[in-house]
Amino acid sequence: MNCLQVARVLQSYLDGETDEVTARRVSAHLEDCRRCGLETSVYQEIHNALARRTEPDSQAVERLQAFGASLLSDPPTGDDDAEHGTTPATGP
């Protein structure tokens, strides 16, 4: 799963509304992708603030907005090799 795919289902995943296969794929991605892991913590902070009926941390909201903007500005590559510092295998 790549970052864009995770972003599309992240809220459902956090709410426990994804099927088991999707949940496993998102969980595996979050273990490997620091960027998405950080954004998950932002979503959780906002969720917790709403549950407490308090205003979410303004920096968490700003990070979430920046993450959404980065998803719109980064061209989809189909994988996260560059982000994780790996390169795809070449050859036959």
Side-chain angles (χ1 to χ4, degrees):
M1 216 171 214
N2 65 37
C3 292
L4 188 56
Q5 291 169 320
V6 168
R8 289 182 182 144
V9 298
L10 186 57
Q11 191 61 56
S12 295
Y13 167 79
L14 293 172
D15 290 341
E17 298 173 349
T18 57
D19 59 75
E20 187 177 327
V21 172
T22 301
R24 278 187 276 152
R25 292 179 73 202
V26 170
S27 178
H29 178 84
L30 293 176
E31 287 178 23
D32 292 336
C33 181
R34 186 171 190 271
R35 176 182 174 189
C36 289
L38 290 172
E39 294 315 312
T40 299
S41 67
V42 170
Y43 275 61
Q44 290 171 326
E45 168 61 31
I46 292 170
H47 178 267
N48 293 340
L50 292 172
R52 292 187 309 266
R53 297 179 190 258
T54 60
E55 188 171 320
D57 177 64
S58 62
Q59 291 179 340
V61 173
E62 289 171 14
R63 286 193 310 268
L64 181 59
Q65 289 171 332
F67 178 65
S70 75
L71 291 173
L72 294 173
S73 65
D74 290 346
T77 61
D79 61 46
D80 292 332
D81 290 335
E83 182 174 319
H84 296 297
T86 61
T87 55
T90 57

